[in-house]
């Protein structure tokens, strides 16, 4: 075992991981994965007895700001990964979980490593959006045997952060939308953070028509709620990554893929606006991983401007 691996993984965590490896295996390399906001993500290269390697991913909550919710999120993810086994949804396989740091230095979850990579570029987006929509329809078709916890939406009209130079009248009208009671809905299994950054693809730049989704990751907020909420979340992220028009198009792509949304336009608007306004509270956190992934032009200010344009477009659509 190299000193580097021991230092990076920390002694108790390394011992815990090693307990869940096959006989004769050991961790030979670690790599920090970009994109995580609340947790530290590491890819572990495991040396096998036959001289080969395989990959695992370790999620650890090391930031004191997020430790309060670590046990809940890790337990929820472990339950979701167990539920998804054999469903056809390409999720990681659960290896082990230590939600209260009984064995590790920090609350942690160990899972299999999926092939593919996240793709956040503008190029090829018109082909990826239908893939995302079809994948989300498949996720919503999963029927848990045991009841799941209801979705949580923490944003209120009082916590919304209005972007600088935004039209105060438009944003006030948007905030009035989420002051209403949530519409009734037919429950579905939700990912709750389904967006391009949590989807892995096998995509060759020269053959993007053959792109396919190889994995959907980060199930820490999996819950039960309206399909509209997952669709709205992906729409918001597409709007911020690629421009408001793409956010507006995703709901149509979802329906074309066989998904069912709320029948009334006012109900669909409620979920769309709720997710967009929720993003207003964490624009800086959302933008930073995108820049780290190569989208350096997506400064906090640019993302704020796109969010403002998207909210305005949603409100304009209802007159």
């Amino acid at each position: 075992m190299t000193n580097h691996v021991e230092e990076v993984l920390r002694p108790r965590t390394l011992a815990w991981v090693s307990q869940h490896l096959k006989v004769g295996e050991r961790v030979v390399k670690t790599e920090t994965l970009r994109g995580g906001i609340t947790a530290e993500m590491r890819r572990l290269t495991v040396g096998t007895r036959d001289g080969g390697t395989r990959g695992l991913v370790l999620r650890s909550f090391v930031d004191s700001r997020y430790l309060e919710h670590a046990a809940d999120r890790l337990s929820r993810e472990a339950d979701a990964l167990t539920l998804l086994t054999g469903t056809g949804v390409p999720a990681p396989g659960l290896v082990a979980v230590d939600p209260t740091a009984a064995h590790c230095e920090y609350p942690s979850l160990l899972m299999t490593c999926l092939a593919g990579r996240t793709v956040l570029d503008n190029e090829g987006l018109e082909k990826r959006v239908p893939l995302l929509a079809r994948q989300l329809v498949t996720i919503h078709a999963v029927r848990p045997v045991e009841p799941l916890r209801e979705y949580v939406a923490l944003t209120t009209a009082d916590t919304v952060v209005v972007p600088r130079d935004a039209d105060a009248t438009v944003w006030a009208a948007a905030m009035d939308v989420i002051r209403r009671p949530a519409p009734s809905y037919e429950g579905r299994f939700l990912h709750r953070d389904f967006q391009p950054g949590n989807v892995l693809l096998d995509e060759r730049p020269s053959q993007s028509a053959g792109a396919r989704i190889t994995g959907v990751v980060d199930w820490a907020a999996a819950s039960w709620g309206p399909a509209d909420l997952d669709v709205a979340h992906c729409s918001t992220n597409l709007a911020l990554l690629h421009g408001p028009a793409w956010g507006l198009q995703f709901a149509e792509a979802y329906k074309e893929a066989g998904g069912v949304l709320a029948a009334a336009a006012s109900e669909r608007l409620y979920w769309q606006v709720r997710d967009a306004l929720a993003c207003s509270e964490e624009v800086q956190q959302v933008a930073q991983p995108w820049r780290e992934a190569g989208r350096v032009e997506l400064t906090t200010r640019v993302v704020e401007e796109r969010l403002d344009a998207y909210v305005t477009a949603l409100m304009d659509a209802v007159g």
Side-chain angles (χ1 to χ4, degrees), residues 101 103 151 198 205 216 258:
H103 307 286
Y151 76 92
N198 283 329
V216 181

Side-chain angles (χ1 to χ4, degrees), residues 6 28 100 126 142 169 256 288 309:
E6 292 175 349
V28 297
T100 60
E126 67 282 353
V142 173
T169 302
E256 289 174 4
Q288 183 175 345

Side-chain angles (χ1 to χ4, degrees), residues 7-80:
E7 178 182 350
V8 170
L9 285 190
R10 308 172 189 94
R12 293 178 62 214
T13 300
L14 178 57
W16 177 75
V17 169
S18 298
Q19 289 175 3
H20 296 283
L21 301 180
K22 299 175 183 177
V23 175
E25 292 186 334
R26 64 190 181 97
V27 179
V28 297
K29 181 181 177 182
T30 72
E31 175 188 358
T32 301
L33 298 177
R34 295 190 302 262
I37 295 177
T38 60
E40 176 185 272
M41 303 292 295
R42 294 190 181 279
R43 186 184 190 278
L44 311 182
T45 300
V46 177
T48 59
R49 293 182 65 181
D50 61 3
T53 61
R54 66 186 181 99
L56 296 174
V57 173
L58 178 70
R59 178 196 297 275
S60 298
F61 281 79
V62 302
D63 192 323
S64 59
R65 294 174 296 173
Y66 304 113
L67 285 177
E68 179 182 356
H69 303 292
D72 174 74
R73 293 181 67 83
L74 291 178
S75 296
R76 190 177 296 222
E77 182 160 30
D79 290 345

Side-chain angles (χ1 to χ4, degrees), residues 287-307:
Q288 183 175 345
W290 292 343
R291 290 196 298 273
E292 292 173 352
R295 295 294 305 275
V296 294
E297 79 280 12
L298 293 179
T299 63
T300 299
R301 182 58 184 153
V302 167
V303 175
E304 284 180 339
E305 291 173 346
R306 288 188 175 183
L307 178 61

Side-chain angles (χ1 to χ4, degrees), residues 170 269 309-319:
V170 171
L269 179 68
Y310 180 54
V311 169
T312 300
L314 289 175
M315 299 306 296
D316 285 347
V318 296

